[in-house]
Amino acid sequence: MTADKTHFDVIVLGTGLTESIVAGSLARAGKSVLHIDRNEFYGEHLASFDLINLLKVTNHGKEEDPFLSCYDEVELIFQSGGEEAKEAQMKEEVLKTNSVEATARDGGSDVEAKSDRKTELADFLRDYPDMDAVFKATCGIDVEDTVLSHLTKSTADGESEPWMPKSWALLELLRTSRQYNLELCPKLLYSRGGLVELLAKSGVGRYLEFKALDQIYLFWEGKVEQAPGSKEDVFGNQTVSLVDKRRLMKFLTFAMDYEENEGLFDAFKGKPYQSFLQDQKLSPRLIAFILNATALVVERETLVTLSTEEGLALTQRHLRSLGRWGKTAFLVALYGAGSELSQAFCRLCAVYGGTYILKYPLSHISISSESGPPVSVAADDGTVYTASWVVTSSTYAKYFDPEHKLEAESQTVWRGIAILDQPLYGQSTLNVTVFPPESIGNVQGVMATQQSWDVSSCPKTKYVVHFQASGPCCSREDIRKALVALTNDAPADAAKPTVLLAVLYRQTVRSCGTTWLNDSAVVCTPETATPDLEQAPTVARSIFDRIAPGEEFLPSVPDQSEDM
Amino acid sequence: MPSPASPPTDQEITATFKLLLIGDSGTGKSSLLLRFTDDTWLQPDEVSATIGVDFKVKIVNVEDKRYKLTIWDTAGQERFRTLTSSYYRGAQGVILVYDVSNRQTFEHLQLWFTELDTYSSSRDVIKIIVGNKCDKDTSGVREVSRKDGEAFARRMGTLFIETSAKTKTGVRDAFVEVVRKIAETPSLWQKQQGPRPGAVLLNGEEEEVESSGVCSC
């Protein structure tokens, strides 16, 4: 499986968003591009999976794999009290009733139904051997010992195995696997952010579909509050005093064009944003609203260290994106933002002649050649590809020569994905809930993003909530607490969603910013902790400008629908 | 300039269908597409690999109805089977192409069916198997008989046709047959005409596209 051509202008390793934008823009500018990923899917740490594949990736047990080893500490929560189990139980009862009648007629049909079910389970487990660990973790069964060996035993005694209803319920859920698109790392797009502008301008946006995020909620003093998204929201809010409303509006109006009123924050430059907000006489609740739900800063340490200029820039970015589509500043991509966007830029690259090889393990990257092409990349199959430049995600950094070993830090994000039987807040299907640090006994702030069938995340009758917590000492506990707060501890008058299945995991990526090892090699880091993808186009642009100086970055593609 | 096959433009479009081309490299997928949409033919040395063809739009008249087709080409991503899952999404018709003068491309159809099954959003998607390059009909050159092609298509429950993008044989029929079959299967397209309600598209044409459908207040 080798390309007949082995020399390219640029070799790109990893199909995360930054690398994919680099690949697409360079191919668009006429460079020959070879784009490789060791995984069989696009998007790297931003990929989307169906349910079975998500479970496979998070329960991999392969510590050596440079990609999979970034996912560990997985915990599965499977509640048999969920809808699936109830359904399964109901079916069980129906079966029993039917079988009583049937037994009267021909006898033994109950036993048959039960053993059929066991056969089905065994068939499934044979087809998906990777799911053994999942059944073991959730239903406490050892597949070899329990299910498969049971089949060989006679079940004529009609004894009902205690693990069967739960296993069956899980099987029913897994059978709908393909209706799920679950992101390893969910992302939102600022409606007027650089990425949205780039998608519109370059024409790459035509491959994609989005929906507006409905609402942002803030968890404040034990309650969930709607974060105001507009002037009307601010003034319509019954729980904020008139004085506070005026102060908030005054502040938001200033923040929208803060550069024009430098005098107002000059004294706070380089000082914490938090103290600047306090100086504006804003109440703690409004400060939380601005910091956590508008600037979207939730890491405990960052909340303290964030400078006034940084904070104002983040606040402005949010405010400027309001009112373009829907009620919030954000768009949600159908089928998963990172995965779809990466694929769209890869498609552009391919249309402009880029070569793609996925599921292609590499063994070595050399950039120290005295003569000949500056870069050579050796694949496991022995093929050596050469190029003038190599652009790689941090996942591949370990393949460089020892003298180019990269000083990389680990960037850890704790995540959880919960499948629910009901939405968190009635009508709203796409929303974000922000838990500030310590609001529910959590150390780090937690962001919870609800997705639904509207963005093809799950079947129509289910809802998916993604949780994330980052920053020093973030932990599984932060995720658990937020999950409990939104489900078990939901107010009694609200519909209480049941967690059907939750996957909690730790994502640790090598973080080195954007590092040029020499003139021909650059390593970039995926944006895992941020809720958005605003860095990717900026980083990609800077790499593009260095490799193709003077060329236009992603000019609009000709509209082929016009040549009809 | 409208091609001779294009119907008058004032008639209303009944539906828009997304069609895909898949199959091994070198089977002539892009040639079929260009022959159908632009009635052009490039010599093999002019098109060693697909560059620049993303998708083509063509309006066809089938049984007095006008259909707008967006037909997507693989952009060379079929070479190492790296087509994106988004390529397959939302397609109502799939054209699986092999080369009658290359047995292996015919045998690989099975892999393409598996791939299609993995990614295709609807099980009812209409498929046609196309044996291209049927102008290469001399013995010793042809490696897949028409009978073999037909038998395989029957087994897979798909339409079948042999074509030659070079001589134009069967090209229009291949596309029209798929359209006819999709039109006969309303479940495939009537529910999902265009984007979902409230969808936001960034197609670069309009500066601001207000979300339709869902009221945002």
Side-chain angles (χ1 to χ4, degrees), chain B residues 198-214:
Chain B
V200 174
L201 303 175
L202 304 174
N203 45 23
E205 286 159 21
E206 287 145 287
E207 167 54 16
E208 306 281 287
V209 188
E210 274 310 312
S211 58
S212 59
V214 184

Side-chain angles (χ1 to χ4, degrees), chain A residues 23-41:
Chain A
S25 60
L26 288 171
R28 179 79 183 85
K31 300 276 182 219
S32 62
V33 175
L34 172 65
H35 200 170
I36 295 174
D37 199 310
R38 58 173 295 113
N39 295 316
E40 57 185 318
F41 48 83

Side-chain angles (χ1 to χ4, degrees), chain A residues 313-382:
Chain A
L314 290 173
T315 308
Q316 182 190 58
R317 177 169 77 178
H318 188 118
L319 296 175
R320 288 197 167 165
S321 282
L322 285 170
R324 186 170 190 181
W325 290 293
K327 207 178 160 188
T328 68
F330 296 103
L331 292 179
V332 186
L334 267 71
Y335 311 105
S339 159
E340 289 298 296
L341 267 70
S342 300
Q343 291 187 43
F345 283 99
C346 291
R347 168 85 188 170
L348 177 78
C349 178
V351 167
Y352 283 88
T355 302
Y356 276 80
I357 315 181
L358 300 187
K359 208 179 175 180
Y360 198 48
L362 303 175
S363 51
H364 187 71
I365 308 169
S366 172
I367 54 170
S368 318
S369 151
E370 299 274 301
S371 59
V375 175
S376 67
V377 174
D380 265 7
D381 67 5

Side-chain angles (χ1 to χ4, degrees), chain A residues 42 207 210 325 347 351 560, chain B residues 52 54-55 73 82 89 200 209:
Chain A
Y42 287 91
Y207 301 127
F210 300 89
W325 290 293
R347 168 85 188 170
V351 167
Q560 285 169 351
Chain B
D54 192 6
F55 63 92
D73 198 4
T82 57
R89 208 164 275 142
V200 174
V209 188

Side-chain angles (χ1 to χ4, degrees), chain A residues 1-5 40 42 178 181 189 192 195-197 199-201 203-212 214 323-327 331 334-335 339-340 343-344 346-347 350-358 453-456 559-564, chain B residues 1-2 6 37-38 50-59 68 72-77 79-87 89-90 116-121 123 194-211 214 216-217:
Chain A
M1 193 171 84
T2 55
D4 24 83
K5 178 179 161 181
E40 57 185 318
Y42 287 91
R178 279 180 55 181
N181 285 290
L189 282 86
R192 282 197 186 83
L195 190 52
V196 162
E197 299 308 331
L199 290 170
K201 177 193 125 215
V204 173
R206 70 181 176 197
Y207 301 127
L208 303 159
E209 222 178 295
F210 300 89
K211 280 236 158 169
D214 301 330
R324 186 170 190 181
W325 290 293
K327 207 178 160 188
L331 292 179
L334 267 71
Y335 311 105
S339 159
E340 289 298 296
Q343 291 187 43
C346 291
R347 168 85 188 170
V351 167
Y352 283 88
T355 302
Y356 276 80
I357 315 181
L358 300 187
W453 175 84
D454 291 85
V455 289
S456 292
D559 187 355
Q560 285 169 351
S561 60
E562 276 167 14
D563 7 297
M564 11 182 270
Chain B
M1 191 186 73
S6 290
T37 55
D38 301 12
T50 306
I51 290 191
V53 182
D54 192 6
F55 63 92
K56 288 271 179 185
V57 178
K58 169 116 178 154
I59 290 169
K68 184 175 170 186
W72 291 69
D73 198 4
T74 53
Q77 284 179 306
R79 201 148 157 239
F80 300 109
R81 296 227 157 66
T82 57
L83 282 167
T84 60
S85 49
S86 51
Y87 180 72
R89 208 164 275 142
L116 189 58
D117 195 46
T118 310
Y119 293 115
S120 165
S121 37
R123 298 214 171 261
R196 302 178 178 212
V200 174
L201 303 175
L202 304 174
N203 45 23
E205 286 159 21
E206 287 145 287
E207 167 54 16
E208 306 281 287
V209 188
E210 274 310 312
S211 58
V214 184
S216 64
C217 43

Side-chain angles (χ1 to χ4, degrees), chain A residues 46-152:
Chain A
L46 306 176
S48 284
F49 299 102
D50 62 18
L51 182 54
I52 287 177
N53 280 301
L54 176 86
L55 292 168
K56 215 160 125 179
V57 166
T58 48
N59 294 272
H60 55 84
K62 289 178 189 140
E63 306 312 324
E64 292 308 304
D65 185 290
F67 174 79
L68 292 175
S69 60
C70 300
Y71 299 86
D72 64 357
E73 298 278 331
V74 66
E75 176 188 350
L76 298 172
I77 301 168
F78 178 61
Q79 299 187 349
S80 55
E83 187 194 277
E84 240 77 27
K86 273 184 229 150
E87 242 169 59
Q89 201 187 349
M90 240 166 65
K91 279 188 196 155
E92 188 94 15
E93 274 159 22
V94 171
L95 272 175
K96 260 186 206 157
T97 333
N98 290 345
S99 66
V100 171
E101 290 161 18
T103 317
R105 278 202 306 274
D106 51 36
S109 146
D110 181 28
V111 174
E112 270 166 38
K114 282 215 170 101
S115 76
D116 276 358
R117 205 170 262 199
K118 249 178 266 168
T119 315
E120 275 184 57
L121 184 58
D123 285 348
F124 177 88
L125 288 165
R126 276 196 202 102
D127 290 347
Y128 298 96
D130 302 296
M131 291 298 103
D132 282 14
V134 172
F135 275 84
K136 190 167 185 176
T138 52
C139 307
I141 55 166
D142 190 307
V143 172
E144 277 298 317
D145 287 0
T146 328
V147 187
L148 301 180
S149 71
H150 232 97
L151 275 175
T152 54

